[in-house]
Amino acid sequence: FTAFPCTGCHDCGQQHHTDPYFDPSQSQTFHALLCPDECQEHATCSSTSRRCEFTQSYTEGSSWTAYQATDVLYAGGPDVLEAANPLDRQYSLPFMFGCLQHETGLFITQLADGIMGLSAHETTLPKQLYNQGKLEYNMFAMCFRKELGTSKRGVTAGSMTLGGVSSTLDTTPMVFARNTQPYGWFTVQVQNIYIAKNGGTQFLLDHTASDEFLKSIVKVPIDIAQVNSGKGVIVDSGTTDTYLNANVLPAFVKVWRQVTGMDYTHT
């Protein structure tokens, strides 16, 4: 789900974010969904405002509360006059999102205003653009790079492509993992876990892997069924953390100490 702070958001960290709160009163096309008939996706009805409210919590402890609304959205530049650009308006669409009214944890201190959900779901921006004929393919791509500093003007820390894939920023060939779930979380099947003796950021275990590279990695003995149990192993664009199944812990820390000579910690 896509959500960002709106006017009235309580302690939502405006001093940290790149933009002020969104002011619905300044939009002629804004509409807050009203209950009971307009609520979507498990929203609850507020007895006082009659708005459709919902809450989202995250594994690392952050959460937010919002009400559902729609407005005309377009992918354009930071200049408000670009909303009148015929090319930008060509890709505009009525879009449902959450108007944040309360935040906790990292949502208060993060640089970004809110969060854009990108699961395999009908309410996400790429799927809505595809459903309304704005994109030829139901695809999106995200490319990240490490940025050393931050700024209220924003951070150029990668790119996002809607409706396809751009390889202009790639430094290595793209590697694919099959998505095992057609709906909801992007879920992959983990076959092996390795720890690299020399660290690094680029690994490709295929027929091109050299003997030297194969000697530089140590395989963690895992139970494949356990690792992929429950909801499975998901690839989530909404977190910067990596979580391993708890069943992996004994074997992982043993190999980690073997490779690094020290106990594993989160630091």
Side-chain angles (χ1 to χ4, degrees):
F1 208 93
T2 298
F4 46 84
C6 290
T7 300
C9 195
H10 177 63
D11 293 331
C12 290
Q14 183 171 345
Q15 69 273 22
H16 300 288
H17 302 327
T18 56
D19 300 289
Y21 297 156
F22 173 67
D23 186 357
S25 68
Q26 300 298 308
S27 171
Q28 296 179 350
T29 51
F30 177 88
H31 172 65
L33 302 189
L34 300 177
C35 47
D37 298 332
E38 296 181 325
C39 295
Q40 302 183 36
E41 296 299 323
H42 312 297
T44 59
C45 183
S46 168
S47 58
T48 55
S49 65
R50 292 186 57 241
R51 296 187 303 207
C52 304
E53 298 182 344
F54 65 114
T55 298
Q56 184 69 49
S57 300
Y58 299 83
T59 305
E60 38 72 27
S62 302
S63 65
W64 49 258
T65 300
Y67 65 88
Q68 294 178 339
T70 60
D71 207 337
V72 176
L73 180 146
Y74 77 99
D79 191 334
V80 69
L81 294 179
E82 294 189 30
N85 186 311
L87 182 62
D88 290 336
R89 292 179 65 88
Q90 177 183 343
Y91 294 99
S92 66
L93 78 163
F95 185 65
M96 184 180 74
F97 57 94
C99 257
L100 295 179
Q101 295 298 285
H102 180 67
E103 295 177 344
T104 69
L106 296 178
F107 284 101
I108 296 176
T109 57
Q110 69 180 20
L111 187 63
D113 300 332
I115 187 169
M116 182 163 67
L118 291 170
S119 63
H121 195 278
E122 292 296 319
T123 59
T124 62
L125 178 60
K127 190 61 164 64
Q128 284 290 300
L129 286 166
Y130 174 75
N131 289 347
Q132 298 187 35
K134 309 296 183 179
L135 301 179
E136 184 176 358
Y137 301 105
N138 179 28
M139 298 175 63
F140 70 90
M142 298 172 67
C143 176
F144 294 109
R145 75 171 190 181
K146 186 175 183 179
E147 187 69 39
L148 298 179
T150 61
S151 168
K152 285 275 285 186
R153 294 175 296 176
V155 178
T156 306
S159 67
M160 179 175 182
T161 306
L162 294 168
V165 176
S166 173
S167 61
T168 56
L169 300 177
D170 291 353
T171 56
T172 58
M174 191 175 296
V175 179
F176 293 88
R178 183 181 301 278
N179 179 28
T180 63
Q181 301 292 334
Y183 186 81
W185 300 112
F186 295 113
T187 308
V188 297
Q189 177 82 5
V190 171
Q191 298 291 345
N192 294 295
I193 297 175
Y194 298 90
I195 296 178
K197 295 179 180 179
N198 301 319
T201 59
Q202 299 177 1
F203 305 97
L204 188 59
L205 275 171
D206 63 5
H207 65 279
T208 65
S210 66
D211 291 339
E212 182 179 358
F213 169 72
L214 295 175
K215 293 177 181 179
S216 71
I217 57 176
V218 180
K219 185 177 179 179
V220 178
I222 62 172
D223 184 318
I224 295 178
Q226 285 186 333
V227 171
N228 296 281
S229 62
K231 66 181 178 182
V233 179
I234 66 171
V235 180
D236 180 18
S237 63
T239 180
T240 55
D241 298 321
T242 298
Y243 298 94
L244 298 179
N245 189 299
N247 291 304
V248 178
L249 182 61
F252 182 87
V253 296
K254 181 178 180 180
V255 175
W256 180 273
R257 182 164 183 80
Q258 171 191 333
V259 170
T260 67
M262 64 184 79
D263 291 331
Y264 176 79
T265 70
H266 291 301
T267 58

